[in-house]
Amino acid sequence: MPTPSLAALPIRRLTPRDLTACADLSENRGWPREEHKWQFLLTAGKGYGIDDPDGGLVSACVVTDYGPRDRPDLGAIGMVLVAERHARQGIGRRLMRHVVSAMGTTPLTLHATPNGQALYEELGFKVTGRAEMLRGRFRAGASVPSAVATRAATAEDLSAIVRLDEEVFGADRTHIITRLPAFTDRLRIAEENGRIIGYAGTWPNMDTQVVGPLIARDTETAKALIASLAAHTDRPLRTDIDVRHEELLAWAKEHGLVSVAFNSVMTYGISELPGDWTRRFAPVTVAAG
């Protein structure tokens, strides 16, 4: 039997049962397998993929919707991958066009690597911001202890976290927030006079702990949350911080984290992301906006 042309291979919805195939595809492109993250995204979002007749996946991506289920306020696209032997044949473009079409009038966002940015621009995405990826072992140093109080989040805090998150993010992320206790190793809140003014989590990703999400009233609150999370792990931290948060970036670098990459934040159908960027410091993962 002749191998079907790539253009004839159907695009289908992926499910958590495709976890191993997605991790294999990541590894094929030189990315970490990131099975913990793939599991989260395939459960909380919608996966799209093309099966390889020889086994595995030709291509894959995940879309995470926010807001009402029947009319989302925003869709975040991530983990756009094409197998090495099928690269540069228009597969990524075809998959992206399918996803954009499937999302209809829903505004979209994604974090683009320098290699992928041109394709997304061709499809109509515009650069609206940048995020800086930091990585390294956090050094607490001899800093004066923060006046911001933090503690471990409890089940009773979830409803207040959901309310704060929607106010800051600009769309309802209940289906993400309620998964954080299982997805993260640590979930902490900052509070003042019994009111939650920020929250953050860390989750395992290969040999690092990713700090995200990070929502905070101000930079001092963000610092306190990062420091409190770092105190509970001996692994290197990794996070992706909006470059407009210059003070937090400088502080993190002073405490041992180093810049490893920049990604462009891109949008489709809207000129900028909703919500309050001054309190939104880092995403759960760039793959989910």
Side-chain angles (χ1 to χ4, degrees), residues 216-239:
R217 179 181 64 183
D218 49 34
T219 302
E220 289 306 308
T221 304
K223 291 177 183 177
L225 285 165
I226 292 175
S228 67
L229 289 166
H232 291 92
T233 182
D234 58 359
R235 301 170 80 186
L237 299 184
R238 206 193 86 194
T239 191

Side-chain angles (χ1 to χ4, degrees), residues 145-168:
S146 173
V148 179
T150 72
R151 63 170 173 82
T154 67
E156 288 71 31
D157 296 317
L158 276 180
S159 60
I161 291 173
V162 167
R163 288 194 298 272
L164 173 63
D165 186 83
E166 183 172 358
E167 178 185 324
V168 174

